[in-house]
Amino acid sequence: MDQYYQDNMLLGMNIYNFLHRYAVNGKVSGNLACISEIKNAVVVLYSPRGCGFHYRYHARSRNRAVYELECADLRNNDVIFGGEEKLAALLRKVEREQQPDLIFVLPSVVSDIVNDDMEGLVHSLQPQFKAKLVPITSQVFSHMDKSNGRKALREKACQQQKQKFSSSAVYPGCGYVEVMDALVQQVMEPQQVQPRSVNIETFVWGYNGEDKLQGMSAMLRKMGIEVNAYLPAADLQMLQRAPRAALNIVRRKKWALAMEQRFGTPFLHVADMQEWHGLSGIGDLYRQVGEQLGCRERVEQVLQEKYKQVEARYQELRREFAKHKFCLIAHGVAMLPESIRVYEQDYGLPLSKICIIMNPSYQAEAGVDDALMQKFRDRIELAKAEYNCQAEVLLEPAADALREAAQSCDFVISNGHPRYANLGVPLLYNLFDRSVWTYQGFIDIMEEVQQLLQRPQLVNASLLLSKLDYDPVFYPLRQEDADSKAARELFSRVWRQRK
């Protein structure tokens, strides 16, 4: 299993959301992210050589260049008269030289525009090859993330308190999902279902994702549940046998729906990991798995044993945390109710101030009208009442008000924006994304927090990084950098017009 975006977390730069939205990626980058996990698989890109060159090293690949990527090198004549022979010759060359188990054939903008029957061509060539040929079909020409993202926001605003979130958005056109759908339809084979077994999707479990999933696997084994396969981090034989599992635990819903339709495999959708956060969230995950696999009693027994091992330390740490006051600096409203629950209920960090600093174009960019914004505000108030949060909420505080709010607390919880180093208050990193899947793993995070509280350190405000006047919203743009900010706004307006 690859450690997706680990360098982004370690370096604190080029975070995933920026790369996904503003970098030059294309769905092929998602295709490659998925295929790179599959063992003994190679990729042929049915494109001109420029695409082949670009995707060997692109924005989202960072330090994981795809040096082995092969390209059909389509030219003008191939576009006009067809590149079938060129593709067939390249596939034979790839199999002869690399001897893979799977060869994935990816479409490109060119092949999609001329509407080549790439899938039909590749399937007609299959009898000539020992390797399994898997053509990837573009489900839509462009990634539907904007319209689906807006749908997810609308559904989030209407979410009931304590209800697990699972949006109906399925993101057709996502390169990763297109590969997963192809695996379901072209590679997986009918199997006799093995009771009390699961498949675990390996994609996007956050920082240190492999260790998280290993912890989940260890817990499942203690509960008598077998991990049938990690998907897509498997070889050809394991992919073919994936339908043996009685349940899929997934992060991306669309391919799981396809597998459910073809093989009848139910799934548990872990959409927002924060909703499965803390000791209660971890317990909820395994209880739902046990419920679906018919082993709830054994699951409950293991959970009780594990809780008893950490209970005393958990309560002790919460008592220590309760001695301090915390100021949370948030940069949005959609996930703020979950943030309140994470800090107040899961960690026991009493929030005294909540400062909301938002993108002034947020409503236009996200397609959120005033009525939807009011629903988000209502959810925040409900969350405060539910988790006994006494924090004062400050919306768009001025610089002086922000400093006053921060200095009324012992610690500031923020996203690490350099401007907060000048508030004169010790900073805590944002704990919102620190999801783990074992009770002891969560206690380990709380131990880290306790060490920071015992030895508070002010960020060195003399560093050059802290001297620059960064924009409060669009870090790392600087406030006086009008040209870059105008370019970003132009890009954002074009983004809003995409269908």
Side-chain angles (χ1 to χ4, degrees):
M1 291 174 278
D2 290 330
Q3 297 282 29
Y4 289 104
Y5 317 123
Q6 177 170 307
D7 58 330
N8 298 337
M9 297 292 292
L10 295 176
L11 298 175
M13 59 190 296
N14 291 340
I15 61 175
Y16 166 68
N17 287 339
F18 291 164
L19 290 175
H20 191 266
R21 175 163 292 193
Y22 297 115
V24 180
N25 294 304
K27 69 170 67 179
V28 175
S29 64
N31 297 149
L32 295 174
C34 185
I35 297 169
S36 66
E37 289 209 1
I38 301 171
K39 298 175 183 177
N40 201 22
V42 298
V43 180
V44 170
L45 184 57
Y46 192 50
S47 73
R49 65 173 61 183
C51 292
F53 176 82
H54 167 69
Y55 280 109
R56 287 190 173 211
Y57 182 76
H58 55 91
R60 283 176 65 190
S61 69
R62 297 301 300 277
N63 60 351
R64 299 175 55 254
V66 190
Y67 294 114
E68 67 277 12
L69 176 67
E70 297 284 351
C71 174
D73 188 20
L74 296 179
R75 305 293 180 91
N76 288 341
N77 285 348
D78 302 317
V79 173
I80 297 170
F81 300 108
E84 295 88 347
E85 289 302 322
K86 181 176 283 189
L87 177 61
L90 176 59
L91 291 173
R92 286 190 286 268
K93 173 178 177 289
V94 167
E95 181 172 58
R96 182 175 63 255
E97 294 180 353
Q98 302 190 40
Q99 299 183 351
D101 290 330
L102 296 112
I103 302 176
F104 289 87
V105 185
L106 305 185
S108 65
V109 172
V110 171
S111 62
D112 278 353
I113 288 176
V114 301
N115 200 25
D116 271 350
D117 183 17
M118 191 184 74
E119 184 176 3
L121 168 62
V122 172
H123 286 322
S124 70
L125 293 172
Q126 180 63 73
Q128 305 175 28
F129 290 83
K130 180 180 178 181
K132 174 68 176 177
L133 304 182
V134 185
I136 306 302
T137 302
S138 290
Q139 295 167 350
V140 294
F141 186 75
S142 177
H143 193 331
M144 304 296 285
D145 50 0
K146 185 189 73 170
S147 55
N148 277 271
R150 291 181 173 183
K151 178 191 290 187
L153 269 179
R154 290 194 295 271
E155 293 173 350
K156 189 71 175 175
C158 300
Q159 180 186 4
Q160 297 298 313
Q161 201 74 3
K162 293 189 175 181
Q163 176 189 35
K164 298 296 184 187
F165 183 67
S166 182
S167 172
S168 62
V170 291
Y171 298 92
C174 167
Y176 171 83
V177 170
E178 287 178 349
V179 174
M180 292 298 294
D181 281 353
L183 293 177
V184 171
Q185 301 298 340
Q186 302 179 48
V187 178
M188 295 181 186
E189 299 175 353
Q191 306 284 322
Q192 182 176 353
V193 175
Q194 181 73 26
R196 297 190 180 184
S197 63
V198 299
N199 294 323
I200 303 177
E201 184 180 10
T202 60
F203 192 68
V204 190
W205 290 89
Y207 174 64
N208 209 23
E210 181 174 353
D211 286 349
K212 291 180 182 180
L213 295 190
Q214 294 298 344
M216 180 189 293
S217 301
M219 286 284 284
L220 291 171
R221 283 194 295 271
K222 290 181 182 297
M223 298 166 179
I225 299 170
E226 172 195 353
V227 178
N228 176 62
Y230 299 98
L231 301 177
D235 57 20
L236 173 59
Q237 290 71 33
M238 188 59 69
L239 291 169
Q240 290 170 332
R241 294 197 298 267
R244 288 179 69 247
L247 178 70
N248 287 325
I249 301 175
V250 307
R251 292 281 288 127
R252 291 292 180 266
K253 188 176 182 179
K254 187 175 184 301
W255 72 269
L257 287 166
M259 192 168 170
E260 184 177 54
Q261 182 177 8
R262 185 178 180 203
F263 300 106
T265 311
F267 63 90
L268 174 61
H269 185 206
V270 184
D272 292 330
M273 288 190 292
Q274 293 76 20
E275 297 188 353
W276 308 84
H277 191 278
L279 299 188
S280 61
I282 294 169
D284 286 346
L285 175 76
Y286 294 113
R287 289 186 181 98
Q288 290 205 28
V289 171
E291 192 73 38
Q292 295 200 46
L293 296 181
C295 54
R296 177 69 181 263
E297 290 185 5
R298 175 57 180 161
V299 167
E300 193 64 46
Q301 179 184 350
V302 173
L303 290 175
Q304 292 297 328
E305 291 173 358
K306 293 296 182 181
Y307 181 75
K308 287 179 182 178
Q309 294 173 9
V310 303
E311 181 181 13
R313 184 56 177 161
Y314 177 61
Q315 297 299 339
E316 182 182 4
L317 287 168
R318 290 179 63 90
R319 288 192 293 270
E320 290 297 317
F321 294 170
K323 298 175 182 178
H324 306 279
K325 293 191 298 183
F326 298 86
C327 172
L328 173 64
I329 300 179
H331 290 269
V333 293
M335 297 300 292
L336 189 50
E338 285 71 29
S339 293
I340 293 172
R341 177 179 53 77
V342 163
Y343 291 115
E344 291 277 4
Q345 173 183 282
D346 297 340
Y347 288 111
L349 300 171
L351 301 177
S352 177
K353 305 286 184 180
I354 298 175
C355 301
I356 304 174
I357 301 173
M358 294 182 61
N359 173 0
S361 302
Y362 170 75
Q363 288 190 238
E365 291 187 11
V368 175
D369 58 22
D370 292 341
L372 213 57
M373 283 295 291
Q374 185 58 51
K375 287 186 177 182
F376 281 128
R377 296 189 187 99
D378 293 342
R379 289 190 70 237
I380 292 170
E381 292 304 316
L382 286 172
K384 286 181 60 183
E386 176 70 29
Y387 305 114
N388 194 29
C389 176
Q390 306 299 318
E392 177 187 4
V393 178
L394 288 79
L395 180 61
E396 304 293 351
D400 290 343
L402 177 64
R403 176 177 292 275
E404 182 179 349
Q407 292 186 347
S408 69
C409 299
D410 303 310
F411 294 88
V412 167
I413 304 172
S414 75
N415 64 359
H417 193 305
R419 73 190 293 243
Y420 304 139
N422 297 316
L423 294 175
V425 181
L427 302 181
L428 290 181
Y429 49 78
N430 194 327
L431 300 168
F432 187 63
D433 294 324
R434 295 291 300 273
S435 298
V436 291
W437 306 109
T438 65
Y439 287 164
Q440 185 57 54
F442 188 74
I443 299 303
D444 291 342
I445 296 174
M446 295 182 70
E447 296 282 9
E448 294 178 27
V449 175
Q450 175 65 357
Q451 291 178 16
L452 294 171
L453 300 186
Q454 289 177 335
R455 295 189 295 273
Q457 293 182 348
L458 290 172
V459 177
N460 192 342
S462 65
L463 293 174
L464 179 60
L465 188 68
S466 301
K467 296 295 184 182
L468 299 177
D469 195 15
Y470 290 108
D471 187 276
V473 176
F474 301 119
Y475 174 75
L477 298 184
R478 291 176 292 112
Q479 283 192 325
E480 66 272 18
D481 189 358
D483 291 341
S484 294
K485 292 169 71 174
R488 185 210 171 278
E489 176 60 24
L490 176 62
F491 191 102
S492 179
R493 290 185 182 183
V494 173
W495 183 267
R496 293 174 219 166
Q497 295 173 10
R498 294 175 67 238
K499 301 297 183 183

